[in-house]
Amino acid sequence: MHSFGYRGNALLTFAVTILAFMCAIASFSDNFSNQTPSAQIQILNINWFQKQPHGNDEVSLTLNITADLQSLFTWNTKQVFAFVAAEYKTSKNSLNQVSLWDAIIPEKEHAKFWIQISNKYRFIDQGYNLRGKDFNLTLHWHVMPKTGKMFADKIVMSGYRLPDAYR
Amino acid sequence: MDWQGQKVVEQLMQILLVISGVVAVVVGYATESFRTMMLIYAGGVVLATLVTVPNWPFYNRHPLEWLDPSEAEKHPKPQVVAKKRFSKK
């Protein structure tokens, strides 16, 4: 501690170490938050349902997505990434997940929303298995922290079914 | 800075930084504001820097007592006798 440089270095190193501890504590405190998200998805319309020239089925849907993800936000949350995936089983794959829509929610105020859109990403099957297919629509979310561990979870909504014939 | 001052400075720096870290986390968690935590901690770091890095006079209250020059002359340094070094054969 005999010179400016020595003291400045010691102070800076210790300050950064303490900062690391503070960030670890902030991340750990996320485990104590009570999270009660809710969501509902309605398929308003099957816009069209075709077999593409390559032989794969494609369907276009209009979705009505209602969600309340406000309880996911803590003091240590930077943003929440949410996406809707259609999940179904075929003889070729035991689980198919096709992402239909996603959004980045930067603030708690924007986390309670109602949106009606056609699917943002194309719903194309690996094959032509979609006629009469039962599928789940799952809302996944990733809570991205300012520091520390990212949490991810989902709500599975089942009971959706595609028509038996192309239209 | 004298020895006593250096010891005080080290302890003061550690205490100030730890306290500002703890206060920052508690206040930030209570107000649900990450930004508040960072601002309080930054303020604490600046305060600790201002208190401990410059060479304030109160860190020099126990100065080292160097030997007086007149006393040093009475006790001359021992002369080093040049020895003959035997070279290896």
Side-chain angles (χ1 to χ4, degrees):
Chain A
M1 294 290 171
H2 49 74
S3 67
F4 285 116
Y6 196 118
R7 290 194 293 276
N9 183 28
L11 185 140
L12 210 60
T13 311
F14 197 56
V16 170
T17 308
I18 293 195
L19 184 65
F21 269 106
M22 285 164 56
C23 289
I25 292 174
S27 176
F28 185 68
S29 74
D30 272 352
N31 290 322
F32 301 116
S33 63
N34 192 18
Q35 301 187 331
T36 55
S38 62
Q40 268 186 323
I41 304 181
Q42 236 183 325
I43 297 186
L44 290 178
N45 189 29
I46 310 274
N47 303 328
W48 45 265
F49 185 7
Q50 297 290 337
K51 185 173 175 172
Q52 299 299 28
H54 298 291
N56 295 331
D57 277 351
E58 182 175 351
V59 61
S60 168
L61 312 159
T62 302
L63 299 167
N64 187 355
I65 304 172
T66 315
D68 180 3
L69 301 177
Q70 287 189 323
S71 61
L72 297 174
F73 278 79
T74 67
W75 69 309
N76 187 28
T77 302
K78 181 170 183 339
Q79 64 195 19
V80 168
F81 174 69
F83 67 97
V84 169
E87 296 175 352
Y88 58 95
K89 187 178 163 162
T90 58
S91 53
K92 189 173 165 200
N93 304 317
S94 63
L95 177 63
N96 298 280
Q97 285 175 307
V98 183
S99 181
L100 298 178
W101 171 87
D102 58 25
I104 293 177
I105 307 172
E107 275 147 17
K108 192 169 176 170
E109 289 70 35
H110 300 155
K112 188 166 182 176
F113 60 92
W114 177 97
I115 181 172
Q116 183 173 322
I117 30 97
S118 58
N119 48 316
K120 191 172 173 185
Y121 304 109
R122 297 171 68 177
F123 188 168
I124 302 178
D125 186 32
Q126 286 183 337
Y128 40 90
N129 307 300
L130 290 183
R131 279 164 294 173
K133 178 64 71 180
D134 292 308
F135 63 99
N136 294 338
L137 283 173
T138 313
L139 176 70
H140 296 252
W141 59 82
H142 294 277
V143 179
M144 296 171 174
K146 290 190 171 105
T147 72
K149 187 179 185 318
M150 180 176 86
F151 293 91
D153 205 350
K154 60 187 180 186
I155 293 180
V156 180
M157 288 155 278
S158 52
Y160 304 93
R161 189 187 167 85
L162 287 170
D164 294 323
Y166 294 126
R167 29 169 122 153
Chain B
M1 218 184 255
D2 59 48
W3 299 118
Q4 183 64 22
Q6 289 180 32
K7 177 177 162 186
V8 165
V9 134
E10 178 168 1
Q11 289 172 342
L12 210 57
M13 173 196 85
Q14 289 170 345
I15 288 176
L16 279 177
L17 284 179
V18 168
I19 287 183
S20 63
V22 166
V23 166
V25 169
V26 166
V27 172
Y29 188 68
T31 58
E32 303 242 321
S33 168
F34 198 85
R35 195 179 135 82
T36 306
M37 176 174 91
M38 283 300 163
L39 286 175
I40 292 179
Y41 185 60
V45 169
V46 167
L47 178 71
T49 310
L50 288 174
V51 169
T52 63
V53 172
N55 200 3
W56 298 114
F58 56 82
Y59 293 130
N60 256 317
R61 290 279 180 255
H62 305 268
L64 294 164
E65 288 173 13
W66 294 103
L67 196 60
D68 195 70
S70 56
E71 191 68 31
E73 279 168 17
K74 293 180 191 167
H75 306 274
K77 277 188 184 171
Q79 293 291 331
V80 178
V81 175
K83 288 187 191 165
K84 231 182 179 177
R85 289 194 63 96
F86 295 102
S87 53
K88 274 191 179 171
K89 291 218 172 150

